[in-house]
Amino acid sequence: MDTEIVTIEFTQDNLTAAEDRLLREAGEVIRRGGLVAFPTETVYGLGGDALNPASSEKIYRAKGRPSDNPLIVHICRLEDLKKIVARVPEEAYKIADAFWPGPLTMIMEKADIVPLQTTGGLNTVAVRFPSHRVAQKLIEYSGGYVAAPSANLSGKPSPTRAKYVVEDMSGRIDTIIDGGDVGIGLESTIIDLTVTPPQILRPGYVTRQMLEELLGQVEMDRTTMQNDTGEAPKAPGMKYRHYAPKAELLIVEGEQETVIRYINENVTMRRKQGERIGVIATGETCAVYEADVVKNIGSREDRETIAKNLFRVLREFDDAGVDVIYSESFDTDGLGQAIMNRLLKAAGHRLVQV
Ligand code: AMP
Ligand code: MG
């Protein structure tokens, strides 16, 4: 299959007439059962008609994703929520009022109209209303309901720029919309509203504290930060190997000076054995490592930059030809929870405390 790549500059709030036409055409592709990758504020999504079971099956095939891993349904108007969920709980309106459109996904009981192919066989459906204008327009022109997982091959880091979508999806889908780099860089927060108290299944830009301020008590699925709980994650997708770079990845946690010393000692030792070593460092520390490839993931003073750079850095290490990567660790308050959740998954939970 030939994949068409279209670019939407989208520098101001309004689309040009030509951009609007391109999005209408892409919407037509989805209406006819095709697949279109598109930018959102979190990561690039791979969209198909959420109400067409054949489209969802195509998404699983294109990603190489297990079909028990449900897709998030994207909408572009709050009033459209009623059609795809059996009942809208009161908290959903509160959350929508505070965080929609935005990087937050809610899980509710599904309506019959949503095919089981889209929900991975579950009676619940995950719904998000993204804030990215290109995404909103595409969803509108696609008929209002777009199932869209991240637009990467299963197991790879989620794409934060169109180049990575092209690498993973060329020849597998109809269209890729290049809308430049995404803003947040980590996938949406997922909150399950079918349980009391509500439970966070995947941490993201909207943090537990932000949700608790609004709703009172909110729980965190314990499997988001630990892998030795003996429990299966409640978001089926979280149980799969994720984001892993080709090289072995090890997270080192401790006082900054100790971490630097530990990593540099290991670099010296392993290089003698002929290995090439990479380090994921921060703006504050990237000059002090003696490894073959050192990447600055962002500043500790500005964790939004770390969130934004994480998946790109993991992908870049695949081209860097290193055997092992040491990464610094991050505090797990606020946005740090989402950062460490993704980093731990990428490392297969290999963490050394020094
Ligand atoms: P992605 O589409 O790549 O952002 O991943 C979507 C995530 O949402 C996966 O981890 C899914 O398992 C999870 N998810 C989607 N729908 C549901 C649902 N109905 N119940 C629980 N988790 C869900
Ligand atoms: Mg994904």
Side-chain angles (χ1 to χ4, degrees), residues 43 63 65 68-72 105 107-108 118-119 122-126 148-150 152 158 187-188 190 192 201-202 234-238 242:
V43 299
K63 277 182 66 85
R65 173 170 177 152
D68 68 343
N69 185 357
L71 309 173
I72 294 173
T105 298
I107 294 179
M108 287 163 273
T118 299
T119 64
L122 298 175
N123 286 322
T124 54
V125 60
S150 50
N152 51 283
S158 302
E187 308 88 341
S188 59
I190 301 180
D192 184 354
L201 307 189
R202 177 171 75 184
K234 306 222 168 43
M238 300 300 273
H242 249 75

Side-chain angles (χ1 to χ4, degrees), residues 167-207:
E167 275 173 26
D168 282 14
M169 290 298 155
S170 251
R172 304 174 82 92
I173 63 175
D174 300 278
T175 308
I176 295 172
I177 298 173
D178 179 348
D181 286 1
V182 300
I184 293 176
L186 298 178
E187 308 88 341
S188 59
T189 307
I190 301 180
I191 185 164
D192 184 354
L193 298 182
T194 67
V195 291
T196 315
Q199 193 175 34
I200 295 172
L201 307 189
R202 177 171 75 184
Y205 187 83
V206 176
T207 62

